């Protein structure tokens, strides 16, 4: 009898451990997504404020964006981060299932391989789609102060009404992000390598210059990734604001708040 009780206690302890692990894992994904999305909302709201107040002045965009983000829209951000956390959690569970099947030898089945790979690709594409919808939902929420669902719907349909513009921004954005990261990473690394290999003082102080060069490259890559993320967010938010501005004032001669350089660029595109 005591053995049965001990066995049931072990099972209950194991189930509590598994449930706690799953909860903490999902909570970690949700928290990371919440932090990243709150920063995105902060940048997007700052761009929205700058776009519509550039000609009239007003409060500092970043300060007002902080207020909007952390006082008025945390629920919207938490809901969007919850969806991303769910998708990432599902991808981790799928990877765990794949590892279990591989350990048990079931991976040799062609059907199992096909199903797992198909599900993995579908989840990866779905995550990218949800992230795209979330970003435009946050921008539209900063514009209108509507809830997440309505903002996601309006933001998505706005991109569907302007597919060429957003495709151009997305494609060129990816290219410039790559080139920006490459430039920010390579130039300081090359300068550091020249100093370490050519300078007589560094030759006497540093025995192996490879590690410092690698450290410089990694630090510069992180800095470049952060900088280019801010740049990409600003581009996306400005295009969203421009399309909204254009639709609002379509019967009044076009967008009224558009910066002059962007207006000239759009005129050349139409021409």
């Amino acid at each position: 009898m005591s053995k049965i009780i001990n066995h049931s206690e072990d099972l209950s302890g194991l189930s509590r451990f598994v449930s706690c692990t799953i909860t903490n894992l999902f909570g970690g994904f949700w928290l990371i997504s919440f932090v990243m999305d709150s920063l995105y909302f902060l940048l997007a709201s700052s761009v929205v404020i700058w776009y519509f107040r550039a000609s009239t002045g007003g409060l500092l965009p970043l300060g007002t964006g902080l207020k909007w983000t952390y006082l008025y829209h945390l629920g919207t951000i938490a809901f969007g981060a919850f969806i991303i956390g769910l998708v990432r959690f599902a991808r981790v569970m799928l990877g765990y299932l794949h590892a279990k099947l591989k350990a048990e030898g079931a991976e040799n089945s062609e059907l199992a391989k096909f199903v797992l790979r198909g599900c993995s690709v579908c989840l990866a594409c779905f995550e990218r789609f949800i992230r795209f919808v979330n970003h435009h939902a946050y921008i539209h929420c900063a514009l209108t102060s509507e809830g997440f669902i309505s903002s996601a719907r309006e933001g998505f349909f706005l991109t569907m009404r302007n597919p060429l513009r957003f495709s151009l921004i997305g494609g060129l954005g990816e290219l410039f992000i790559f080139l920006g990261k490459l430039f920010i990473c390579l130039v300081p690394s090359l300068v550091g390598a020249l100093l370490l290999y050519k300078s007589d003082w560094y030759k006497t102080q540093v025995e192996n210059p490879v590690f410092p060069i690698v450290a410089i490259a990694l630090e510069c890559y992180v800095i470049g990734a952060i900088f280019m993320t801010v740049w990409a967010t600003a581009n996306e938010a400005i295009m969203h604001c421009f399309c909204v501005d254009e639709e609002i004032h379509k019967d009044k001669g076009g967008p009224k708040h558009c910066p002059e350089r962007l207006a000239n660029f759009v005129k050349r595109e139409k021409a």
Side-chain angles (χ1 to χ4, degrees):
M1 186 67 179
S2 62
K3 291 183 178 180
I4 296 176
I5 294 174
N6 291 333
H7 182 65
S8 63
E9 289 178 352
D10 291 340
L11 288 177
S12 62
L14 180 62
S15 63
R16 285 197 298 270
F17 173 77
V18 172
S19 62
C20 287
T21 302
I22 291 175
T23 303
N24 289 330
L25 182 62
F26 172 71
F29 284 129
W30 190 3
L31 179 61
I32 292 171
S33 300
F34 177 79
V35 172
M36 298 301 294
D37 285 4
S38 63
L39 294 175
Y40 186 93
F41 192 98
L42 171 60
L43 292 171
S45 59
S46 300
V47 172
V48 168
I49 296 165
W50 167 83
Y51 182 94
F52 286 99
R53 294 187 182 179
S55 58
T56 59
L59 298 177
L60 292 176
L62 187 59
T64 309
L66 280 168
K67 180 181 177 181
W68 287 7
T69 302
Y70 295 106
L71 288 182
Y72 303 127
H73 298 295
L74 284 181
T76 298
I77 299 168
F79 188 80
F82 177 80
I83 300 173
I84 290 291
L86 275 179
V87 177
R88 289 179 177 173
F89 179 76
R91 293 186 65 183
V92 171
M93 290 295 101
L94 185 65
Y96 173 76
L97 178 61
H98 188 194
K100 288 285 289 184
L101 292 176
K102 185 176 181 180
E104 295 174 0
E107 196 193 30
N108 297 327
S109 171
E110 294 296 328
L111 179 60
K113 287 182 179 180
F114 177 79
V115 171
L116 286 172
R117 290 175 182 174
C119 291
S120 178
V121 171
C122 289
L123 282 175
C125 294
F126 185 65
E127 182 182 349
R128 291 180 65 89
F129 172 74
I130 292 297
R131 190 181 297 114
F132 172 81
V133 172
N134 279 9
H135 285 177
H136 286 281
Y138 296 147
I139 299 170
H140 208 80
C141 178
L143 277 166
T144 62
S145 292
E146 296 179 355
F148 179 84
I149 300 298
S150 58
S151 295
R153 182 182 64 249
E154 295 299 327
F156 177 73
F157 285 130
L158 180 70
T159 60
M160 292 299 99
R161 292 193 295 270
N162 301 274
L164 183 60
R165 289 173 176 174
F166 285 100
S167 299
L168 182 64
I169 287 293
L172 290 178
E174 291 293 332
L175 176 62
F176 278 107
I177 287 172
F178 172 75
L179 293 177
K181 290 179 181 179
L182 189 66
F183 180 81
I184 295 172
C185 181
L186 284 182
V187 172
S189 300
L190 291 175
V191 173
L194 288 174
L195 289 174
L196 290 171
Y197 280 106
K198 299 297 183 179
S199 174
D200 295 333
W201 187 84
Y202 281 110
K203 287 181 181 179
T204 59
Q205 297 294 323
V206 180
E207 295 182 1
N208 186 3
V210 175
F211 178 75
I213 294 172
V214 172
I216 292 171
L218 290 176
E219 291 178 5
C220 292
Y221 179 81
V222 172
I223 294 172
I226 295 172
F227 178 81
M228 297 310 297
T229 300
V230 174
W231 180 86
T233 303
N235 270 354
E236 199 170 27
I238 288 173
M239 181 54 68
H240 192 109
C241 292
F242 173 81
C243 293
V244 171
D245 189 17
E246 185 180 50
E247 290 186 355
I248 292 174
H249 300 99
K250 62 182 178 181
D251 298 329
K252 300 178 182 179
K256 298 296 183 183
H257 303 277
C258 179
E260 184 178 355
R261 290 184 179 180
L262 179 59
N264 294 333
F265 173 78
V266 174
K267 288 178 182 178
R268 287 197 301 269
E269 176 194 351
K270 290 181 177 180

